[in-house]
Amino acid sequence: QVQLVESGGGSVQAGGSLRLSCAASVFTSRTYVMGWFRRVPGQGREAVAGIDNNGSTVYVDSVKGRFTISRDVSANILYLDMTVLKPEDTAMYYCAARCPSTLDLPTCLLSKRFYDWGQGTQVTVSS
């Protein structure tokens, strides 16, 4: 099991930026698919972005061009750089790691079939 700890959330005004970090307890290696999800109270968990072992990335349409997912393999950290934040980006953000190897990245994100999840970090964007 991989333990994941998110940080970097906070309160910002619309148009602002935040960088979320997700520290993994063990070497994540380039073979792990990792992703960021978010949840608004009363709604289901939504995939935001994912990165696979080749460094390929996928984003939900609502964040394309504004958010960037990246990873520092040597430091075992996953990042989500968020810019031009909007009030509708307000949510609890979670990172996830390790998806069944038979699934491709888009399917991993749609199915949410990750083995490891962090506790989340809150992002609040005010208008």
Side-chain angles (χ1 to χ4, degrees):
Q1 184 179 3
V2 177
Q3 294 184 333
L4 304 170
V5 179
E6 302 95 335
S7 61
S11 297
V12 297
Q13 291 191 325
S17 301
L18 283 173
R19 168 176 258 202
L20 304 185
S21 299
C22 173
S25 61
V26 297
F27 182 54
T28 58
S29 86
R30 290 181 179 85
T31 62
Y32 285 173
V33 171
M34 298 189 75
W36 286 98
F37 291 78
R38 63 187 180 187
R39 176 155 56 191
V40 175
Q43 298 183 20
R45 195 170 293 188
E46 173 193 37
V48 176
I51 186 167
D52 70 10
N53 58 321
N54 295 315
S56 297
T57 57
V58 171
Y59 298 90
V60 66
D61 285 346
S62 61
V63 307
K64 283 181 180 177
R66 300 189 297 121
F67 290 11
T68 303
I69 187 172
S70 62
R71 68 201 302 176
D72 183 336
V73 176
S74 61
N76 302 334
I77 300 176
L78 179 73
Y79 297 105
L80 184 68
D81 288 294
M82 307 186 294
T83 64
V84 196
L85 282 161
K86 304 176 181 180
E88 51 264 43
D89 294 319
T90 296
M92 183 72 77
Y93 283 72
Y94 302 85
C95 70
R98 300 193 305 148
C99 189
S101 59
T102 54
L103 303 181
D104 61 14
L105 179 57
T107 306
C108 285
L109 294 176
L110 284 174
S111 68
K112 307 180 184 63
R113 289 178 58 187
F114 285 83
Y115 296 118
D116 309 296
W117 294 85
Q119 294 300 306
T121 184
Q122 178 67 36
V123 172
T124 303
V125 184
S126 58
S127 56

